[in-house]
Amino acid sequence: IIAADGKNSDTKNLIGNKTFKKKYSENAMVLNFSHKKNLNGVAYEIFLENGPLAILPMKQVKKNYHSTVIWSNNKKILRSLNECNNEFVANFMEEKIGNLVGKIIKINSKQIFPLSAHINDSFINKRLIYIGDAAHSIHPIAGQGWNLGVFDVKNLFKICKKKESPIGSDLFCKNYNHLSYNKAFQLYQITDKLDLHFKNNIKIYRLLSSLGFGFIENSTEFKNKITKYAMGVN
């Protein structure tokens, strides 16, 4: 059985796998919108004072470009913004990210979600395998939640293709858990610590942080390693 029934997995609740959870004080606003400027497939992460804002490009529809914004912010601020009409939201967001996306033509949808993260104690249970959000969810600060789910599917396909053990056998399930669990746990921890990192406003800490990110920015080799790790290439 493959459990791919999301963050509040009924399968997991029925079977009883333990889950480690963390709730964050912020919410996340998800906006889908059309705009004039081509992002050329490049995603952006902007670290604003109230929380990180990610811009994720989507497929072009007709003459306009489409993207999704995920913005972690104070619950009251996002609730107030969500109650505004779409024209106001478009103008407001254009002030924030217009230099990247150009004129925002239309807000297609807007939603608010409570921010939380979780990871199962195991991604398997006898002949049951968990993939995607049924197995793990992480803070959106690095935009890696979707990639992790794809990584699970890739690993499952890999061990099916190798045919080293019968599908559903103990060895088959253990191989999947071995391939998927470690990276998910690492990103669960990394994104949580990144969130704490950017919330720390102590001056000496911010100075050291700027120096560290400056080193990464100037090191092509180091940047490539981080990118490949996040993409699941390594």
Side-chain angles (χ1 to χ4, degrees):
I1 297 173
I2 298 173
D5 49 349
K7 198 170 184 178
N8 299 311
S9 169
D10 289 329
T11 307
K12 182 167 56 180
N13 293 334
L14 180 66
I15 298 298
N17 274 75
K18 291 182 180 178
T19 305
F20 302 100
K21 299 179 180 179
K22 177 154 187 181
K23 291 185 178 180
Y24 297 97
S25 58
E26 303 86 8
N27 279 357
M29 171 172 271
V30 180
L31 295 173
N32 181 280
F33 63 101
S34 53
H35 54 92
K36 284 290 188 182
K37 200 170 179 180
N38 188 358
L39 295 180
N40 296 309
V42 177
Y44 292 87
E45 184 90 12
I46 305 168
F47 295 97
L48 302 172
E49 186 176 347
N50 293 331
L53 184 153
I55 308 172
L56 309 175
M58 300 171 69
K59 286 185 177 180
Q60 181 178 352
V61 179
K62 296 181 180 179
K63 294 182 179 180
N64 297 324
Y65 300 99
H66 288 251
S67 293
T68 294
V69 154
I70 305 174
W71 189 12
S72 303
N73 207 329
N74 179 278
K75 294 178 182 179
K76 290 182 178 179
I77 293 174
L78 293 184
R79 198 176 297 124
S80 297
L81 187 60
N82 194 50
E83 291 172 357
C84 296
N85 62 52
N86 286 352
E87 185 180 356
F88 177 89
V89 174
N91 292 333
F92 180 84
M93 295 307 299
E94 201 172 306
E95 289 182 9
K96 299 285 184 184
I97 59 174
N99 60 317
L100 293 171
V101 302
K103 180 174 178 57
I104 295 178
I105 300 163
K106 183 182 178 183
I107 302 293
N108 300 311
S109 65
K110 60 181 190 290
Q111 293 175 289
I112 295 179
F113 298 96
L115 273 184
S116 64
H118 82 278
I119 188 164
N120 295 7
D121 63 338
S122 174
F123 292 172
I124 59 174
N125 193 321
K126 295 182 181 179
R127 294 177 65 84
L128 171 67
I129 280 175
Y130 295 98
I131 67 171
D133 283 0
H136 47 70
S137 65
I138 60 176
H139 193 288
I141 192 168
Q144 292 300 309
W146 168 259
N147 288 353
L148 266 184
V150 173
F151 191 66
D152 292 340
V153 176
K154 179 182 175 182
N155 290 336
L156 188 56
F157 176 76
K158 185 187 297 183
I159 57 175
C160 285
K161 192 176 180 180
K162 283 185 176 180
K163 299 179 181 178
E164 293 177 346
S165 55
I167 291 176
S169 66
D170 285 347
L171 181 59
F172 178 92
C173 293
K174 285 178 181 177
N175 285 341
Y176 168 77
N177 195 66
H178 174 72
L179 287 173
S180 293
Y181 195 90
N182 188 49
K183 180 168 184 175
F185 183 78
Q186 286 178 347
L187 281 174
Y188 174 81
Q189 294 287 352
I190 289 169
T191 51
D192 181 60
K193 300 306 180 288
L194 272 175
D195 177 59
L196 289 173
H197 168 81
F198 285 106
K199 286 177 180 175
N200 193 326
N201 291 318
I202 299 173
K203 286 185 179 180
I204 185 65
Y205 186 89
R206 301 311 308 167
L207 175 61
L208 293 173
S209 171
S210 296
L211 291 172
F213 277 98
F215 169 77
I216 294 172
E217 179 63 28
N218 293 321
S219 174
T220 302
E221 182 181 356
F222 201 48
K223 279 197 295 187
N224 286 340
K225 285 183 177 180
I226 293 173
T227 304
K228 286 179 180 179
Y229 174 80
M231 291 172 64
V233 176
N234 286 8

